[in-house]
Amino acid sequence: MSQRDIDQWLNHRLQLAEKQLRESDKKPEHPLKEWFLGIDLGTCNIVSIVIDKDANPIATRLDQADVVRDGIVWDFFGAVSIVKKQLASLQEQLGVEFTKASTSFPPGTDPRISVNVLEAAGLEVTHVIDEPSAVANMLHLKSAAVVDIGGGTTGIAVIKNGKVVYSGDEATGGHHVSLTLAGNLNLPIEQAETKKKEQGTEIWPIVRPVFEKMTDIVHDHLQQYPVEEIYLSGGSCALPGVGVLFSQAFPEQKVILPTLPIFITPLAIAVCGMEDNHAD
Protein backbone atom coordinates (compact mmCIF):
# COMPACT_ATOMS: atom_id res chain seq x y z
CA MET A 1 0.00 0.00 0.00
CA SER A 2 1.05 3.58 -0.58
CA GLN A 3 1.63 5.97 2.32
CA ARG A 4 -1.75 7.54 1.65
CA ASP A 5 -3.47 4.14 1.63
CA ILE A 6 -1.82 3.19 4.94
CA ASP A 7 -2.90 6.46 6.55
CA GLN A 8 -6.48 6.04 5.32
CA TRP A 9 -6.60 2.39 6.44
CA LEU A 10 -5.34 3.26 9.91
CA ASN A 11 -7.30 6.46 10.52
CA HIS A 12 -10.56 4.82 9.44
CA ARG A 13 -10.08 2.07 12.01
CA LEU A 14 -9.02 4.45 14.77
CA GLN A 15 -12.18 6.47 14.18
CA LEU A 16 -14.19 3.24 14.29
CA ALA A 17 -12.56 2.35 17.62
CA GLU A 18 -13.54 5.71 19.09
CA LYS A 19 -17.08 5.34 17.70
CA GLN A 20 -17.43 1.89 19.22
CA LEU A 21 -16.33 3.27 22.58
CA ARG A 22 -19.15 5.82 22.44
CA GLU A 23 -21.64 3.12 21.38
CA SER A 24 -20.62 0.49 23.92
CA ASP A 25 -24.23 -0.52 24.55
CA LYS A 26 -25.06 -1.13 20.88
CA LYS A 27 -25.68 -4.78 20.06
CA PRO A 28 -24.28 -6.26 16.81
CA GLU A 29 -26.74 -6.68 13.97
CA HIS A 30 -25.50 -10.19 13.20
CA PRO A 31 -23.90 -12.91 15.36
CA LEU A 32 -20.11 -12.73 15.44
CA LYS A 33 -18.44 -15.56 13.55
CA GLU A 34 -14.82 -14.49 13.93
CA TRP A 35 -13.26 -12.00 16.30
CA PHE A 36 -9.91 -11.06 17.82
CA LEU A 37 -9.33 -9.29 21.13
CA GLY A 38 -6.35 -7.08 21.95
CA ILE A 39 -5.72 -5.72 25.46
CA ASP A 40 -3.29 -2.88 26.15
CA LEU A 41 -2.24 -2.57 29.81
CA GLY A 42 -1.09 1.05 29.89
CA THR A 43 0.19 3.26 32.67
CA CYS A 44 -2.80 5.60 32.52
CA ASN A 45 -5.38 3.50 30.67
CA ILE A 46 -6.35 -0.09 30.03
CA VAL A 47 -7.83 -0.43 26.54
CA SER A 48 -9.48 -3.47 24.99
CA ILE A 49 -10.43 -3.60 21.31
CA VAL A 50 -12.32 -6.36 19.51
CA ILE A 51 -11.83 -6.53 15.73
CA ASP A 52 -13.36 -8.62 12.96
CA LYS A 53 -11.52 -10.58 10.27
CA ASP A 54 -10.97 -7.35 8.29
CA ALA A 55 -9.38 -5.60 11.30
CA ASN A 56 -12.40 -3.35 11.77
CA PRO A 57 -13.04 -2.50 15.46
CA ILE A 58 -16.43 -3.83 16.57
CA ALA A 59 -16.16 -2.99 20.27
CA THR A 60 -13.90 -0.86 22.46
CA ARG A 61 -13.44 -0.40 26.20
CA LEU A 62 -11.22 2.13 27.96
CA ASP A 63 -10.71 2.63 31.69
CA GLN A 64 -8.38 5.08 33.36
CA ALA A 65 -6.11 3.08 35.63
CA ASP A 66 -3.14 3.56 37.93
CA VAL A 67 -2.07 -0.08 38.03
CA VAL A 68 1.05 0.01 35.82
CA ARG A 69 4.11 2.17 36.39
CA ASP A 70 7.17 2.27 34.17
CA GLY A 71 6.17 -1.01 32.54
CA ILE A 72 5.61 -2.81 35.85
CA VAL A 73 2.21 -3.94 37.14
CA TRP A 74 2.34 -2.70 40.73
CA ASP A 75 -1.38 -3.26 41.43
CA PHE A 76 -1.95 -6.78 40.11
CA PHE A 77 -5.39 -7.19 41.67
CA GLY A 78 -6.52 -3.82 40.29
CA ALA A 79 -5.30 -4.68 36.79
CA VAL A 80 -7.03 -8.07 36.81
CA SER A 81 -10.25 -6.53 38.12
CA ILE A 82 -10.36 -3.94 35.30
CA VAL A 83 -9.68 -6.56 32.64
CA LYS A 84 -12.44 -8.78 34.05
CA LYS A 85 -14.85 -5.84 34.10
CA GLN A 86 -14.08 -5.01 30.47
CA LEU A 87 -14.48 -8.65 29.46
CA ALA A 88 -17.88 -8.89 31.15
CA SER A 89 -19.02 -5.70 29.44
CA LEU A 90 -17.78 -6.85 26.01
CA GLN A 91 -19.44 -10.24 26.42
CA GLU A 92 -22.72 -8.61 27.40
CA GLN A 93 -22.63 -6.33 24.37
CA LEU A 94 -21.45 -8.81 21.74
CA GLY A 95 -23.07 -11.98 23.02
CA VAL A 96 -19.88 -14.07 22.87
CA GLU A 97 -17.59 -15.54 25.49
CA PHE A 98 -14.01 -14.32 25.31
CA THR A 99 -11.51 -17.04 26.15
CA LYS A 100 -8.37 -15.76 24.41
CA ALA A 101 -6.65 -12.45 23.68
CA SER A 102 -3.40 -10.83 22.60
CA THR A 103 -1.43 -8.35 24.67
CA SER A 104 1.81 -6.37 24.68
CA PHE A 105 4.64 -5.12 26.86
CA PRO A 106 7.12 -2.21 26.83
CA PRO A 107 10.46 -3.15 25.21
CA GLY A 108 13.00 -4.28 27.77
CA THR A 109 10.42 -5.51 30.30
CA ASP A 110 9.24 -9.03 31.08
CA PRO A 111 6.37 -10.12 28.77
CA ARG A 112 5.08 -12.40 31.51
CA ILE A 113 3.95 -9.37 33.50
CA SER A 114 1.16 -8.61 31.02
CA VAL A 115 0.52 -12.29 30.32
CA ASN A 116 0.01 -13.03 34.02
CA VAL A 117 -2.71 -10.36 34.28
CA LEU A 118 -4.69 -11.74 31.34
CA GLU A 119 -4.33 -15.33 32.50
CA ALA A 120 -5.53 -14.35 35.98
CA ALA A 121 -8.57 -12.81 34.28
CA GLY A 122 -9.33 -16.19 32.72
CA LEU A 123 -7.90 -15.64 29.25
CA GLU A 124 -5.55 -17.70 27.13
CA VAL A 125 -2.85 -15.38 25.74
CA THR A 126 -2.38 -16.30 22.09
CA HIS A 127 0.10 -13.57 21.15
CA VAL A 128 2.36 -11.17 23.06
CA ILE A 129 4.57 -8.54 21.44
CA ASP A 130 6.31 -5.34 22.46
CA GLU A 131 4.22 -2.23 21.85
CA PRO A 132 6.11 -0.38 19.09
CA SER A 133 6.78 -3.63 17.23
CA ALA A 134 3.04 -4.34 17.25
CA VAL A 135 2.39 -1.04 15.48
CA ALA A 136 5.23 -1.66 13.04
CA ASN A 137 3.89 -5.11 12.17
CA MET A 138 0.33 -3.85 11.74
CA LEU A 139 1.38 -1.16 9.26
CA HIS A 140 3.83 -3.42 7.36
CA LEU A 141 6.46 -0.69 7.45
CA LYS A 142 9.65 -1.00 5.36
CA SER A 143 12.09 1.64 6.62
CA ALA A 144 10.71 3.47 9.60
CA ALA A 145 10.71 3.93 13.33
CA VAL A 146 7.70 3.66 15.60
CA VAL A 147 7.77 5.86 18.69
CA ASP A 148 5.13 4.78 21.20
CA ILE A 149 4.72 7.42 23.91
CA GLY A 150 2.68 5.76 26.60
CA GLY A 151 1.83 6.81 30.11
CA GLY A 152 5.01 5.56 31.76
CA THR A 153 7.43 4.72 28.97
CA THR A 154 8.54 5.75 25.50
CA GLY A 155 9.20 2.76 23.27
CA ILE A 156 11.11 2.82 19.99
CA ALA A 157 11.13 0.14 17.28
CA VAL A 158 13.23 0.37 14.10
CA ILE A 159 12.11 -1.43 10.97
CA LYS A 160 14.44 -2.25 8.07
CA ASN A 161 13.27 -4.18 5.01
CA GLY A 162 10.02 -4.93 6.78
CA LYS A 163 11.65 -6.47 9.88
CA VAL A 164 12.11 -5.04 13.37
CA VAL A 165 15.90 -4.80 13.82
CA TYR A 166 15.98 -2.85 17.07
CA SER A 167 13.69 -1.94 19.94
CA GLY A 168 14.31 0.10 23.06
CA ASP A 169 12.43 1.75 25.89
CA GLU A 170 12.90 4.68 28.26
CA ALA A 171 11.03 5.37 31.48
CA THR A 172 9.42 8.65 30.53
CA GLY A 173 5.93 9.30 29.20
CA GLY A 174 2.57 10.88 29.86
CA HIS A 175 2.74 10.33 33.63
CA HIS A 176 5.93 12.38 33.73
CA VAL A 177 4.14 15.11 31.77
CA SER A 178 1.44 15.15 34.44
CA LEU A 179 4.04 15.26 37.23
CA THR A 180 5.69 18.27 35.59
CA LEU A 181 2.35 20.00 35.24
CA ALA A 182 1.36 19.22 38.84
CA GLY A 183 4.64 20.58 40.18
CA ASN A 184 4.53 23.72 38.06
CA LEU A 185 0.94 24.60 38.93
CA ASN A 186 0.98 23.17 42.47
CA LEU A 187 -1.88 20.79 41.69
CA PRO A 188 -2.67 17.25 42.85
CA ILE A 189 -1.65 14.73 40.19
CA GLU A 190 -5.30 13.84 39.47
CA GLN A 191 -6.16 17.47 38.67
CA ALA A 192 -3.04 17.77 36.53
CA GLU A 193 -4.15 14.73 34.51
CA THR A 194 -7.55 16.32 33.89
CA LYS A 195 -6.03 19.66 32.97
CA LYS A 196 -3.63 17.97 30.57
CA LYS A 197 -6.50 16.31 28.72
CA GLU A 198 -8.87 19.29 28.70
CA GLN A 199 -6.49 22.24 28.24
CA GLY A 200 -3.74 20.84 26.08
CA THR A 201 -3.00 24.01 24.13
CA GLU A 202 -2.92 26.16 27.25
CA ILE A 203 -0.49 23.96 29.16
CA TRP A 204 1.78 23.08 26.21
CA PRO A 205 4.50 25.68 27.08
CA ILE A 206 4.82 24.10 30.55
CA VAL A 207 5.14 20.49 29.39
CA ARG A 208 7.02 21.05 26.14
CA PRO A 209 10.42 20.41 27.83
CA VAL A 210 9.31 16.88 28.72
CA PHE A 211 8.55 16.13 25.08
CA GLU A 212 11.81 17.78 24.03
CA LYS A 213 13.53 15.24 26.27
CA MET A 214 11.60 12.52 24.44
CA THR A 215 12.88 13.77 21.08
CA ASP A 216 16.42 13.65 22.49
CA ILE A 217 15.81 10.07 23.63
CA VAL A 218 14.57 9.09 20.18
CA HIS A 219 17.59 10.80 18.58
CA ASP A 220 19.89 8.71 20.75
CA HIS A 221 18.14 5.46 19.85
CA LEU A 222 18.11 6.23 16.13
CA GLN A 223 21.75 7.31 15.78
CA GLN A 224 22.78 3.94 14.36
CA TYR A 225 19.52 3.40 12.47
CA PRO A 226 18.70 5.97 9.78
CA VAL A 227 15.06 5.73 8.75
CA GLU A 228 12.78 7.50 6.31
CA GLU A 229 9.66 7.80 8.49
CA ILE A 230 8.76 8.12 12.14
CA TYR A 231 5.32 7.01 13.27
CA LEU A 232 4.04 8.37 16.57
CA SER A 233 1.61 6.39 18.69
CA GLY A 234 0.27 6.37 22.25
CA GLY A 235 -2.25 8.53 24.06
CA SER A 236 0.33 11.14 25.08
CA CYS A 237 0.83 12.04 21.41
CA ALA A 238 -2.65 13.56 21.32
CA LEU A 239 -1.43 16.66 23.16
CA PRO A 240 -1.39 19.68 20.81
CA GLY A 241 2.16 20.50 19.80
CA VAL A 242 3.64 16.99 19.87
CA GLY A 243 3.47 16.35 16.13
CA VAL A 244 4.96 19.73 15.23
CA LEU A 245 7.73 19.36 17.80
CA PHE A 246 8.79 15.96 16.45
CA SER A 247 8.66 17.25 12.87
CA GLN A 248 10.99 20.09 13.84
CA ALA A 249 13.30 17.74 15.74
CA PHE A 250 13.52 15.29 12.82
CA PRO A 251 13.58 17.43 9.64
CA GLU A 252 15.13 14.64 7.55
CA GLN A 253 12.35 12.17 8.31
CA LYS A 254 8.64 12.28 7.63
CA VAL A 255 6.87 12.35 10.99
CA ILE A 256 3.40 10.80 10.93
CA LEU A 257 0.90 11.28 13.76
CA PRO A 258 -2.35 9.41 13.09
CA THR A 259 -5.64 10.60 14.47
CA LEU A 260 -6.73 9.26 17.89
CA PRO A 261 -3.30 7.81 18.75
CA ILE A 262 -4.55 6.35 22.05
CA PHE A 263 -6.15 3.49 20.08
CA ILE A 264 -3.17 2.64 17.85
CA THR A 265 -1.42 0.21 20.18
CA PRO A 266 -4.48 -1.81 21.27
CA LEU A 267 -5.61 -2.02 17.64
CA ALA A 268 -2.15 -3.21 16.64
CA ILE A 269 -2.18 -5.83 19.40
CA ALA A 270 -5.49 -7.22 18.13
CA VAL A 271 -4.27 -7.21 14.51
CA CYS A 272 -1.08 -9.07 15.45
CA GLY A 273 -3.22 -11.69 17.17
CA MET A 274 -5.42 -11.95 14.08
CA GLU A 275 -2.47 -12.36 11.72
CA ASP A 276 -0.87 -14.93 14.01
CA ASN A 277 -4.11 -16.92 14.03
CA HIS A 278 -4.37 -16.82 10.25
CA ALA A 279 -0.77 -17.93 9.94
CA ASP A 280 -1.61 -21.03 11.98
Side-chain angles (χ1 to χ4, degrees), residues 207-279:
V207 303
R208 178 180 174 128
V210 183
F211 286 96
E212 289 175 339
K213 178 184 177 182
M214 293 178 191
T215 63
D216 292 340
I217 288 171
V218 176
H219 264 297
D220 291 342
H221 282 270
L222 296 184
Q223 279 186 346
Q224 304 301 318
Y225 301 96
V227 296
E228 299 173 4
E229 302 168 340
I230 297 175
Y231 272 82
L232 301 178
S233 68
S236 298
C237 293
L239 203 65
V242 174
V244 172
L245 177 63
F246 268 82
S247 294
Q248 294 171 343
F250 296 93
E252 296 183 0
Q253 288 85 21
K254 181 176 182 179
V255 176
I256 301 161
L257 175 57
T259 183
L260 300 166
I262 193 171
F263 297 118
I264 297 176
T265 299
L267 174 64
I269 295 168
V271 170
C272 286
M274 176 187 73
E275 293 180 344
D276 189 56
N277 179 272
H278 286 168

Side-chain angles (χ1 to χ4, degrees), residues 195-206 239-241:
K195 196 173 187 68
K196 179 180 69 175
K197 294 174 181 178
E198 295 180 352
Q199 301 178 28
T201 302
E202 180 182 334
I203 57 92
W204 174 248
I206 299 173
L239 203 65

Side-chain angles (χ1 to χ4, degrees), residues 63-91:
D63 284 281
Q64 294 185 6
D66 181 18
V67 296
V68 179
R69 292 180 184 173
D70 299 333
I72 303 298
V73 179
W74 71 272
D75 182 0
F76 186 81
F77 177 78
V80 173
S81 296
I82 292 173
V83 172
K84 283 185 173 180
K85 184 186 78 169
Q86 292 188 353
L87 284 174
S89 178
L90 288 169
Q91 290 174 166

Side-chain angles (χ1 to χ4, degrees), residues 70 151-153 171-181 210 214:
D70 299 333
T153 60
T172 185
H175 184 62
H176 302 82
V177 174
S178 298
L179 289 173
T180 298
L181 188 60
V210 183
M214 293 178 191

